[in-house]
Amino acid sequence: MNSSSFEENAILPKPLPSGLIPTLNKMGYMTQFLDEYSLKFIDHPNSADKPLLEIGAAFGVATLEALKRGATVIANDLDQEHLKILKNLCPEQYKCNLMLAPGKFPDEIDIENDSVSAILICRVIHFFSPEEIKAAFKKLFDLLKKGGRLFLVADTPFQKNWAKFQPIYLQRKKEGAEFPGLVTNSGEYITDLGFNLPNMLNFMDLDVLRRELQEAGFVIEKLEFINRINYPDTVRLDGRESVGTIAIKP
């Protein structure tokens, strides 16, 4: 987590007309607004004794706000170029409280167990395979201190540009599939914004998240759909575009 090796001339990519900013590694888009779960993460009251951790921080919209509020933040991302841009965007007075942890979560992250007070993983987990999700939730649980909170947001298949996939998801759901939102050929279904997405996505829903969190040992404080009023019109559907949860390590 050494920030000194990161160059400071990296530039934030130009936002799309919708306001979404494409990631450099074709793993979706970063929003420029903070949803209510990200806001609760950055205002977490127990961040004084142990740092916050953001998994899949991209260009750091949440991390930067947490730093401004006085937190120490470990920012992780799969793409080191994203973290270079984050560091470049970070005001000089906050860089002493920013630690960068590039690598694929959870296997490539070297952080001690019980060492963070809160974790944000926003619009990331739906890029994980079923096996990766189970390993990730176990790691998230281990990293948190006792009483620490996980703030998680993930996309669902209830998005207008995924209308072709929704009947498949619903049929799998009816049949009791463990991960009914798993897509391995995204290009066959998506009708907008597909150019910056991988082939595999694993859309979440309330049931899947509840099961996986509880199996990892978490106690769920809040779990609900999120109405994505700031998503583009080509994506917004019926107020169930994302799911959000707050879970506690007891």
Side-chain angles (χ1 to χ4, degrees):
M1 294 184 292
N2 182 3
S3 302
S4 62
S5 62
F6 284 76
E7 301 171 6
E8 301 201 14
N9 58 356
I11 300 174
L12 187 70
K14 183 179 179 180
L16 301 176
S18 64
L20 297 174
I21 302 177
T23 58
L24 302 177
N25 56 357
K26 294 191 178 296
M27 296 294 284
Y29 309 84
M30 188 189 78
T31 62
Q32 298 184 76
F33 56 87
L34 292 171
D35 57 61
E36 63 175 286
Y37 291 87
S38 299
L39 288 170
K40 288 178 179 178
F41 164 77
I42 64 177
D43 285 328
H44 195 261
N46 296 322
S47 61
D49 59 333
K50 294 183 185 294
L52 303 177
L53 169 63
E54 183 176 9
I55 303 296
F59 310 115
V61 62
T63 286
L64 292 171
E65 288 301 317
L67 289 167
K68 292 175 184 177
R69 286 163 169 78
T72 295
V73 185
I74 303 169
N76 156 263
D77 199 85
L78 177 64
D79 193 324
Q80 183 164 304
E81 293 300 314
H82 293 166
L83 297 181
K84 290 179 181 179
I85 293 171
L86 193 167
K87 185 181 179 185
N88 191 40
L89 293 172
C90 182
E92 195 64 36
Q93 66 265 36
Y94 303 126
K95 287 182 179 177
C96 60
N97 291 329
L98 172 63
M99 294 177 280
L100 303 177
K104 183 176 177 58
F105 186 83
D107 297 336
E108 298 177 1
I109 303 304
D110 185 19
I111 302 173
E112 291 185 7
N113 290 345
D114 308 300
S115 66
V116 296
S117 61
I119 300 173
L120 174 66
I121 180 165
C122 184
R123 302 180 65 248
V124 173
I125 205 74
H126 52 254
F127 293 118
F128 285 24
S129 70
E131 296 77 18
E132 289 170 336
I133 285 177
K134 293 179 183 296
F137 278 27
K138 181 183 184 302
K139 184 70 171 179
L140 292 167
F141 186 88
D142 291 342
L143 292 178
L144 279 170
K145 71 175 187 179
K146 184 178 177 65
R149 280 172 166 79
L150 169 67
F151 300 84
L152 186 148
V153 175
D155 280 352
T156 76
F158 300 114
Q159 300 180 41
K160 191 181 297 183
N161 55 333
W162 285 95
K164 293 181 181 179
F165 176 67
Q166 288 159 21
I168 297 171
Y169 161 81
L170 292 172
Q171 181 61 33
R172 291 177 181 171
K173 190 77 176 174
K174 184 178 179 180
E175 295 171 353
E178 185 179 21
F179 288 90
L182 181 62
V183 177
T184 57
N185 49 349
S186 62
E188 293 187 19
Y189 302 107
I190 193 167
T191 57
D192 186 47
L193 296 174
F195 72 92
N196 209 52
L197 290 174
N199 286 326
M200 194 277 292
L201 289 96
N202 195 1
F203 290 114
M204 295 287 101
D205 61 30
L206 299 179
D207 296 328
V208 172
L209 270 182
R210 182 182 295 108
R211 182 193 69 226
E212 295 301 319
L213 287 166
Q214 291 176 340
E215 287 184 359
F218 285 101
V219 174
I220 296 172
E221 182 177 273
K222 187 175 183 179
L223 176 63
E224 64 181 357
F225 286 113
I226 301 174
N227 184 357
R228 288 298 201 171
I229 59 175
N230 292 308
Y231 272 13
D233 289 340
T234 56
V235 177
R236 291 188 64 199
L237 184 63
D238 61 4
R240 297 181 294 168
E241 293 85 11
S242 293
V243 286
T245 186
I246 303 173
I248 305 170
K249 178 177 178 175

